[in-house]
């Protein structure tokens, strides 16, 4: 019973790390990545469709993205969705393919993006603390029900704190790597 609770805690922390990585992948670092356009949705015959389902996105150069739609009649809609997105990109449409040059980031914009990354870190830490709180409540319930002794619950609580500490440290490492990537000119 205690081991199931600890496994649930580890799973929750892993989910928090995955969500953090997903959010950080959407932050632009000055280099082109296909993940950057994942959040873009295009109105395709009345349905908000992800760009990845309408076109192939490639990175031919470090500072250039290309979008080649499978249905050329949707070029204008894709271009409009990219322009309207909060990414601040300017697509160039040549009638067959959309090229998206990645402008260099200003120092101020780099600092704003680093601050945004730290905000995502705080969200991940909140999720980890919530998982710790739920684990602590489950351990207290296990002890109250008499399914485990007080000593076993104390050992599990210490183990829980170590798991949470490691999870928080790993989240810090993930964001530190992203911040380094953002602030590198």
């Amino acid at each position: 019973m205690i081991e199931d609770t600890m496994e649930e805690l580890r799973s929750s922390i892993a989910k928090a790390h995955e969500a953090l990585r997903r959010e950080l992948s959407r932050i632009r670092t000055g280099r082109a990545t296909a993940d950057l356009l994942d959040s873009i949705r295009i109105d395709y015959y009345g349905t908000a469709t992800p760009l990845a389902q309408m076109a192939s996105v490639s990175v031919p150069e470090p500072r250039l993205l290309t979008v080649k739609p499978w249905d050329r009649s949707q070029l204008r809609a894709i271009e409009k969705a990219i322009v309207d997105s909060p990414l601040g990109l300017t697509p160039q449409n040549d009638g067959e393919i959309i090229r998206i040059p990645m402008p260099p980031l200003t120092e101020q914009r780099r600092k704003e993006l680093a601050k945004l990354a730290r905000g995502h870190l705080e969200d991940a830490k909140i999720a980890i603390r919530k998982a710790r709180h739920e684990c602590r409540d489950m351990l207290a319930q296990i002890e109250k029900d008499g399914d485990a002794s007080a000593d076993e619950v104390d050992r599990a609580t210490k183990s829980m704190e170590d798991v949470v500490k490691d999870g928080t440290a790993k989240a810090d490492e993930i964001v530190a790597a992203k911040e380094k990537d953002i602030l590198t000119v």
Side-chain angles (χ1 to χ4, degrees):
M1 194 91 170
I2 288 177
E3 191 52 45
D4 292 342
T5 304
M6 296 303 291
E7 192 55 42
E8 195 170 317
L9 173 67
R10 288 184 196 96
S11 173
S12 295
I13 291 174
K15 287 176 185 174
H17 289 158
E18 188 56 40
L20 176 62
R21 283 190 187 96
R22 191 172 42 254
E23 290 300 321
L24 292 179
S25 73
R26 294 184 181 140
I27 297 178
R28 192 160 70 92
T29 60
R31 283 194 298 274
T33 63
D35 295 341
L36 191 61
L37 302 178
D38 281 353
S39 62
I40 294 181
R41 302 277 185 263
I42 295 96
D43 183 33
Y44 187 62
Y45 299 111
T47 304
T49 308
L51 178 63
Q53 294 179 8
M54 294 182 62
S56 64
V57 179
S58 61
V59 186
E61 298 173 21
R63 298 182 73 71
L64 179 72
L65 283 171
T66 59
V67 179
K68 185 167 175 62
W70 295 306
D71 181 0
R72 285 185 30 199
S73 67
Q74 294 300 311
L75 265 170
R76 293 266 184 245
I78 292 171
E79 183 180 20
K80 183 179 183 318
I82 293 170
V83 169
D84 293 346
S85 73
L87 297 173
L89 300 173
T90 308
Q92 300 166 350
N93 182 350
D94 70 3
E96 284 200 27
I97 197 168
I98 297 174
R99 288 180 180 78
I100 307 168
M102 302 301 290
L105 297 172
T106 63
E107 188 64 29
Q108 179 182 356
R109 183 67 177 144
R110 288 180 189 280
K111 288 179 181 174
E112 288 172 10
L113 292 175
K115 190 174 181 179
L116 181 64
R118 286 191 295 278
H120 291 309
L121 170 63
E122 191 55 40
D123 292 343
K125 285 183 175 181
I126 289 169
I128 291 171
R129 286 193 297 267
K130 182 177 180 248
R132 177 181 66 191
H133 183 73
E134 290 171 358
C135 182
R136 185 176 289 139
D137 289 348
M138 284 189 231
L139 289 173
Q141 187 63 41
I142 289 171
E143 184 177 10
K144 182 180 170 190
D145 292 345
D147 294 335
S149 69
D151 288 342
E152 289 173 322
V153 171
D154 282 346
R155 279 193 297 274
T157 302
K158 287 177 183 159
S159 175
M160 173 196 68
E161 291 300 333
D162 291 340
V163 169
V164 168
K165 183 178 174 185
D166 291 344
T168 303
K170 186 171 181 181
D172 287 333
E173 290 171 14
I174 292 168
V175 171
K178 184 65 173 188
E179 279 185 326
K180 182 181 177 209
D181 199 24
I182 290 170
L183 297 174
T184 301
V185 179

